[in-house]
Amino acid sequence: MTLRRKLIWLVTLLVILLLLANLVLVRYEYSQVLAKNFDGRMIAIGSSVSLMILPSLVAGGGSLDMKLAEVDSLLRKMIEEQDDIVEISIFDAAMRPLQSNINQTSAVSPENRIEKILPIRIRQNGQVYGFVKVIFNLAPHAEQQFRLLSRLVILGIAFSLLGLIASFFMARAITSPLEKLRDGAIEFGRKNYDVRVQAGTADEIGVLADTFNDMAGSIQRQIGRILQLQEWSQKIAGELDRSRVIDTVVKAFIELGGISKFSLMFLDESSGQLAIVAGVGLSPEAHKMRLAVGEGIAGRVMESGKVMRVEKIADSPEYKSLSGETRRGTLVAIPLVAKGRCFGVINLHEKTDGTTFDSSDESILTTLAEIASVAFENARLYDLAITDGLTKLFIVRYFHQRIAEEITRTHRTSRPLSLIMADIDHFKSINDTYGHQTGDAVLVTLAQITKRVFREIDIPCRYGGEEFSIILPDTDMNGSMIVGERFRTAVEKFKFSTPAGELSVTISIGISTYTLGRSKDELIHEADSALYVSKRKGRNAVTHYTNVT
């Protein structure tokens, strides 16, 4: 049964109970009034009879012989005037009948009779000289009472109907907002998070509806952020390249946290200091800042591995301004921890809407930082798996994977693709003359030159020993020759430092450009063949396979 029906039945029951109580009360009051009426009339009859017969009773010793005619006339008149009187009788002090008059027209059943007896006495001495008995007929009064109660019942039924109608509208007024609230809760439970309740009332139900709307809005925002977090976590987890992970994490914090200013800091293992690697809304000076572990808020977070929240950064003596100017608002610093190792800190400075970071922001962004930490660690492990430990260039296994991918892409897009194979001239002589440590230093420096000369989309690899390979996407023969010559010249001009003094190093380069229909091994073989031609020409040269005869 619905609440509305319950209220209607409740109000109807109350109306019926009130009607029944009213009937009982009216009947009781009517009985009381009737009893008082009989008593009053009894006193009046007794007084009239006493005035007429008391002197005779006193003088005649209880005899009414001299007054019989008058008494009979009086009693008859009373019976005629009051049609509810069945009988009036007079008795002496010993209750012996002296005179009796009966209403011959009134046949009354025993249950409709009521008998009243009043003593006849002298007030001064209180002596009783006789009694007056009156029998009343209750039938007329019962009929009158019935008519009165019938009217009340009819009136009660009318009021009950009015009460029923009123209860319906009252119940609807009460339950309609509650039904809206119920329907809204049901819809919200069905994941319709846009639902809101318009109660249309300013009472407690209206306050409850407003509270529900606020709660629904808050939950909707939280669910939206959780869904965003899920989406961004998938994007972040899908990246293995460190630079792309950084870019994705930055975008995730901007969108999910509504961040207008924040910085991402990594620990530089060589210097033991925190340095900014990415951020939003930072001044140029900010990227020059370095913090030791334990220094400033970020340093303390790096040291403790725990989130730190500063409500008023302007009042914090530990806050290190990135630009030197006084900052206002709240700062939340979150550590980047993976496998128990803290390797960085994310500093959240400002939001785009100008509000401060609340507990909800801190919770969702801390979770995002944890996801980012795992992604950075995976990128680090992936980097270790695909890069050479000495030169930090890609290893040969990764080279073969990428060259195959680039050939597939070339087939799909018809974009050009070239490959450089380079070898350090007389490298064995360098190792023999200056030692393997110097040889390793030459390899590391050459790798650094390679990263500086080539583009970001190019893929430099250590092919083996002193041999290097560089995959050049979107590069034709002419472009590959230009960049190959630039690489050779950069190495030739660089002076390598050794314990024995400066050392000049040269490289020989072979280049091949992919032709549709050829295989990966054929492309590598062509570049290798061009390299050997450069060696045969006297080294320190660049040769394209098209020039190999």
Side-chain angles (χ1 to χ4, degrees):
M1 185 181 293
T2 63
L3 179 61
R4 179 178 295 184
R5 290 184 178 179
K6 289 180 181 179
L7 287 174
I8 291 173
W9 279 111
L10 176 62
V11 173
T12 304
L13 180 62
L14 288 176
V15 171
I16 293 173
L17 290 176
L18 287 174
L19 174 62
L20 293 175
N22 188 50
L23 291 175
V24 172
L25 181 62
V26 167
R27 184 171 184 179
Y28 172 77
E29 290 294 332
Y30 187 86
S31 300
Q32 293 296 312
V33 170
L34 189 61
K36 290 180 180 180
N37 175 268
F38 286 154
D39 290 341
R41 290 168 62 192
M42 189 66 195
I43 292 172
I45 292 171
S47 298
S48 298
V49 172
S50 296
L51 288 173
M52 179 175 286
I53 69 172
L54 188 57
S56 298
L57 289 174
V58 173
S63 174
L64 292 178
D65 294 339
M66 297 181 295
K67 293 284 187 177
L68 284 176
E70 294 180 16
V71 171
D72 183 67
S73 176
L74 176 64
L75 297 182
R76 190 179 301 112
K77 183 179 180 180
M78 288 182 178
I79 289 174
E80 290 174 355
E81 291 177 351
Q82 303 179 54
D83 58 0
D84 62 340
I85 296 178
V86 177
E87 177 186 340
I88 301 177
S89 300
I90 300 174
F91 300 85
D92 63 10
M95 285 301 291
R96 292 186 294 269
L98 298 176
Q99 179 68 29
S100 180
N101 279 68
I102 299 174
N103 187 350
Q104 299 299 330
T105 63
S106 178
V108 182
S109 59
E111 63 270 12
N112 286 329
R113 297 161 60 102
I114 183 171
E115 185 179 288
K116 295 283 185 177
I117 299 177
L118 186 69
I120 301 172
R121 63 161 60 94
I122 296 176
R123 186 178 299 175
Q124 286 78 2
N125 58 20
Q127 183 178 349
V128 175
Y129 290 92
F131 296 91
V132 177
K133 182 180 75 170
V134 179
I135 298 175
F136 292 98
N137 183 4
L138 293 177
H141 301 287
E143 292 176 3
Q144 186 178 4
Q145 185 185 48
F146 177 76
R147 287 193 298 271
L148 177 61
L149 292 177
S150 297
R151 293 191 191 99
L152 287 176
V153 169
I154 294 171
L155 188 62
I157 293 173
F159 274 106
S160 296
L161 292 174
L162 290 175
L164 186 63
I165 295 172
S167 66
F168 172 78
F169 287 105
M170 182 178 68
R172 187 173 69 173
I174 293 174
T175 60
S176 180
L178 288 174
E179 289 170 354
K180 291 179 181 178
L181 190 60
R182 177 203 63 193
D183 295 341
I186 291 173
E187 284 299 310
F188 195 83
R190 292 173 178 167
K191 298 184 180 180
N192 180 10
Y193 301 123
D194 294 326
V195 68
R196 295 295 183 272
V197 176
Q198 301 299 327
T201 176
D203 56 13
E204 289 83 354
I205 298 176
V207 174
L208 183 61
D210 292 340
T211 304
F212 171 83
N213 291 337
D214 292 341
M215 179 189 69
S218 177
I219 294 175
Q220 182 183 27
R221 288 190 294 273
Q222 284 297 101
I223 291 175
R225 297 183 83 180
I226 290 172
L227 293 176
Q228 280 185 303
L229 177 64
Q230 183 180 17
E231 181 182 346
W232 278 111
S233 65
Q234 292 173 349
K235 291 180 180 179
I236 292 171
E239 298 291 353
L240 288 174
D241 181 76
R242 181 175 179 269
S243 61
R244 287 202 291 266
V245 172
I246 290 175
D247 291 341
T248 307
V249 167
V250 169
K251 293 175 182 177
F253 271 94
I254 292 173
E255 181 176 322
L256 187 60
I259 310 297
S260 62
K261 181 179 180 182
F262 85 102
S263 58
L264 171 61
M265 308 182 81
F266 281 160
L267 180 67
D268 185 346
E269 300 289 350
S270 60
S271 66
Q273 293 181 319
L274 283 168
I276 294 176
V277 295
V280 174
L282 303 179
S283 63
E285 295 81 7
H287 293 276
K288 302 175 183 178
M289 174 173 280
R290 297 290 184 272
L291 293 175
V293 176
E295 181 185 6
I297 295 172
R300 283 188 58 192
V301 171
M302 180 71 197
E303 185 177 49
S304 66
K306 295 180 180 179
V307 178
M308 186 172 179
R309 178 187 180 90
V310 180
E311 294 296 338
K312 295 182 179 180
I313 57 178
D315 299 335
S316 174
E318 297 176 315
Y319 177 70
K320 300 289 184 179
S321 175
L322 301 178
S323 60
E325 60 185 29
T326 303
R327 292 289 182 184
R328 301 184 181 276
T330 303
L331 171 68
V332 178
I334 307 172
L336 295 172
V337 181
K339 297 182 179 180
R341 181 180 69 91
C342 185
F343 59 87
V345 177
I346 292 179
N347 301 295
L348 309 176
H349 293 264
E350 297 173 5
K351 296 174 65 177
T352 53
D353 59 6
T355 60
T356 58
F357 296 99
D358 55 23
S359 58
S360 174
D361 294 324
E362 185 175 331
S363 176
I364 199 82
L365 295 176
T366 298
T367 303
L368 179 59
E370 292 170 356
I371 294 170
S373 298
V374 175
F376 285 130
E377 178 64 13
N378 290 339
R380 185 184 72 86
L381 295 176
Y382 180 72
D383 189 60
L384 289 176
I386 64 173
T387 56
D388 176 61
L390 178 65
T391 63
K392 307 305 179 186
L393 298 179
F394 295 116
I395 60 176
V396 66
R397 185 177 69 251
Y398 184 75
F399 163 79
H400 284 288
Q401 173 189 329
R402 289 306 307 274
I403 192 68
E405 291 174 358
E406 292 300 325
I407 289 174
T408 301
R409 190 173 75 90
T410 298
H411 276 281
R412 187 177 67 253
T413 63
S414 298
R415 301 290 297 172
L417 172 67
S418 296
L419 172 65
I420 289 179
M421 300 291 286
D423 186 83
I424 301 175
D425 297 328
H426 305 295
F427 184 71
K428 184 177 182 303
S429 176
I430 294 173
N431 279 333
D432 293 341
T433 304
Y434 300 99
H436 287 281
Q437 285 186 339
T438 299
D440 289 345
V442 169
L443 291 172
V444 170
T445 304
L446 187 63
Q448 293 171 350
I449 295 173
T450 303
K451 292 178 180 179
R452 188 170 66 247
V453 169
F454 291 96
R455 303 166 301 175
E456 253 189 60
I457 64 170
D458 298 331
I459 306 164
C461 308
R462 185 181 181 188
Y463 197 74
E466 70 274 19
E467 192 172 0
F468 298 83
S469 60
I470 302 95
I471 303 171
L472 306 175
D474 298 331
T475 306
D476 58 13
M477 183 184 71
N478 292 332
S480 63
M481 287 297 292
I482 292 172
V483 71
E485 184 60 33
R486 185 189 306 138
F487 182 33
R488 185 199 66 77
T489 303
V491 174
E492 182 183 32
K493 290 181 178 179
F494 190 84
K495 300 302 180 182
F496 294 83
S497 297
T498 68
E502 290 185 344
L503 172 66
S504 294
V505 176
T506 60
I507 57 174
S508 297
I509 295 175
I511 303 174
S512 62
T513 300
Y514 182 73
T515 304
L516 291 177
R518 303 185 72 79
S519 67
K520 174 192 75 171
D521 292 336
E522 287 175 316
L523 181 65
I524 296 171
H525 174 73
E526 290 171 358
D528 242 348
S529 299
L531 171 62
Y532 286 123
V533 170
S534 294
K535 291 281 190 183
R536 287 198 301 269
K537 288 194 301 187
R539 297 181 173 84
N540 192 24
V542 178
T543 304
H544 194 279
Y545 182 73
T546 55
N547 297 322
V548 175
T549 56

